[in-house]
Amino acid sequence: RAEMTYKPLLLTVLWPASTLQRYLVMAALVAAGSAFVAICAQVRIHLPFTPVPITGQTFAVLTVGGLLGSRLGAATLLLYMAEGAFGVLWGNESEGFKVFSDGTSGWEIISGPTGGYIVGFVLAAYIVGWLTERGFDRNPLTATIAMMIGNITLYVPGLIWLDHHFPGKAFEFGLYPFVLGDSAKLLLAAAVVPAGWAILRHVPGYEKAFPALSGELKTRDYRLPLPWVYLPLGALVVLGALLPWGLAGGGHDPGVTLEPGQFTLGAGLIAMALAAVALTKRIPWELVRVAQFGCGAVAGFASFLHVAHILEARDEAFAFSPLGVGLIIAGLASVLLASASLLDRDEDQAAAVAEAG
């Protein structure tokens, strides 16, 4: 039986007719993807109780898999490994190019405690890409499922190799401190690709390929416009940013005076504004839905980032109390805001951009 597959977003948009041009485009996308992962790797937070840092790599890996598909996604991460370990394309053969976290390079990074995660990046990009080619990237719900599966996949070699270096400490050093952060990053990644499809729906030549969403929460005979769900949730995010948050050195301060609190406040205000505009029906609902998902992900990520800074400053594992009422409200409301964007389920696969595999 033929299996239905779909082109990933970037290949749908950038797929030329000429065979030679296709190979050139694919090579350019792989090189650009490896550079994107390298840039995100430099976003780094060191936790003193574990050798594994918090980085932006997970977000980049999941996004690359969703945008490029299985084969190109895996090829991108293989190139990233080769660049860092051996200096492929640039750098030098003995030390590699400084693309790994914190500007590091060399084979010793692959063979070190965190090397298993870098190997897991290849597997995660392939899995996310494979699911993307089965249509999982078309809405935030299925995209989140794909990103979650990919995130779990990269943990497997990462934890196995970490346990080899620190027997019995793999979960403590490489899993528990990162669950919240990786959840926020996969939500961000799950917002990127559906947002691209939402924009593509309104590009001439593609608009008829995507049925419009209802923008309503349906319960039997009762219908509630979803903007009325987003408005109070956005208001809760804003309220959480205005209430006291826990401080790294102890004590409390209004969240809006802290940089993560300002991002949370901004995401909440944008969510409220989008919901208000959506009530006028002057903006495509598909864009509103994905944007609300992104606002929830940004606010949740900012809240987690603040927790990470507290852990880093206090030099304690899991020193979560007291973090402040506002931080808890903002975090929970952010999760609910992102989840609410999954309520509209009238979407079908886009036949016009599909191909039989």
Side-chain angles (χ1 to χ4, degrees):
R1 186 178 61 181
E3 184 178 10
M4 186 66 70
T5 59
Y6 303 85
K7 282 191 179 71
L9 177 61
L10 287 185
L11 295 187
T12 298
V13 176
L14 302 175
W15 199 241
S18 167
T19 302
L20 176 60
Q21 290 177 341
R22 290 178 185 176
Y23 284 116
L24 292 176
V25 167
M26 288 189 290
L29 289 175
V30 168
S34 69
F36 175 63
V37 176
I39 293 171
C40 291
Q42 308 317 310
V43 179
R44 182 179 185 273
I45 299 175
H46 171 67
L47 298 179
F49 51 85
T50 172
V52 183
I54 298 172
T55 73
Q57 286 169 299
T58 306
F59 165 74
V61 168
L62 299 177
T63 301
V64 164
L67 291 175
L68 299 183
S70 58
R71 289 170 292 182
L72 290 186
T76 296
L77 272 301
L78 285 172
L79 176 60
Y80 173 71
M81 287 181 58
E83 289 170 350
F86 306 113
V88 173
L89 294 184
W90 37 66
N92 60 72
E93 295 182 0
S94 60
E95 297 182 1
F97 188 60
K98 299 183 185 298
V99 297
F100 295 144
S101 175
D102 204 26
T104 56
S105 63
W107 179 254
E108 62 271 14
I109 304 299
I110 305 295
S111 61
T114 60
Y117 292 97
I118 298 177
V119 174
F121 291 163
V122 181
L123 301 177
Y126 183 88
I127 292 296
V128 172
W130 188 88
L131 293 172
T132 290
E133 292 162 356
R134 272 72 191 168
F136 275 66
D137 62 336
R138 304 305 167 90
N139 63 73
L141 174 59
T142 53
T144 299
I145 294 173
M147 301 300 176
M148 188 178 299
I149 294 174
N151 200 66
I152 294 172
T153 300
L154 71 85
Y155 270 124
V156 175
L159 293 175
I160 291 174
W161 192 241
L162 190 62
D163 187 70
H164 173 73
H165 286 268
F166 301 96
K169 296 289 187 178
F171 284 3
E172 180 182 348
F173 286 173
L175 177 62
Y176 300 144
F178 303 96
V179 171
L180 287 177
D182 282 350
S183 298
K185 286 182 281 187
L186 74 86
L187 285 175
L188 283 173
V192 170
V193 183
W197 285 115
I199 294 172
L200 192 64
R201 295 174 185 192
H202 302 278
V203 174
Y206 293 97
E207 64 271 28
K208 293 182 179 180
F210 302 94
L213 300 178
S214 67
E216 295 178 331
L217 177 60
K218 302 174 184 177
T219 305
R220 294 184 179 179
D221 296 330
Y222 183 75
R223 296 184 178 186
L224 174 68
L226 281 172
W228 288 114
V229 176
Y230 291 131
L231 270 173
L233 290 176
L236 279 177
V237 174
V238 171
L239 176 64
L242 297 176
L243 291 174
W245 283 23
L247 297 178
H252 298 79
D253 212 11
V256 70
T257 64
L258 309 169
E259 185 175 3
Q262 293 165 8
F263 276 97
T264 301
L265 177 64
L269 290 174
I270 292 173
M272 292 180 65
L274 283 171
V277 174
L279 288 172
T280 67
K281 298 183 179 181
R282 294 181 179 179
I283 183 172
W285 174 248
E286 297 91 342
L287 292 176
V288 173
R289 184 181 69 147
V290 178
Q292 294 285 4
F293 184 87
C295 287
V298 168
F301 183 75
S303 303
F304 160 75
L305 186 64
H306 188 67
V307 173
H309 283 310
I310 291 176
L311 294 177
E312 183 178 20
R314 291 182 180 175
D315 196 19
E316 300 174 12
F318 314 116
F320 285 100
S321 59
L323 290 181
V325 177
L327 181 54
I328 296 173
I329 291 177
L332 291 177
S334 299
V335 173
L336 292 175
L337 181 61
S339 301
S341 66
L342 311 178
L343 296 177
D344 196 327
R345 300 293 298 119
D346 290 345
E347 185 174 15
D348 296 322
Q349 301 295 350
V353 294
E355 60 178 0

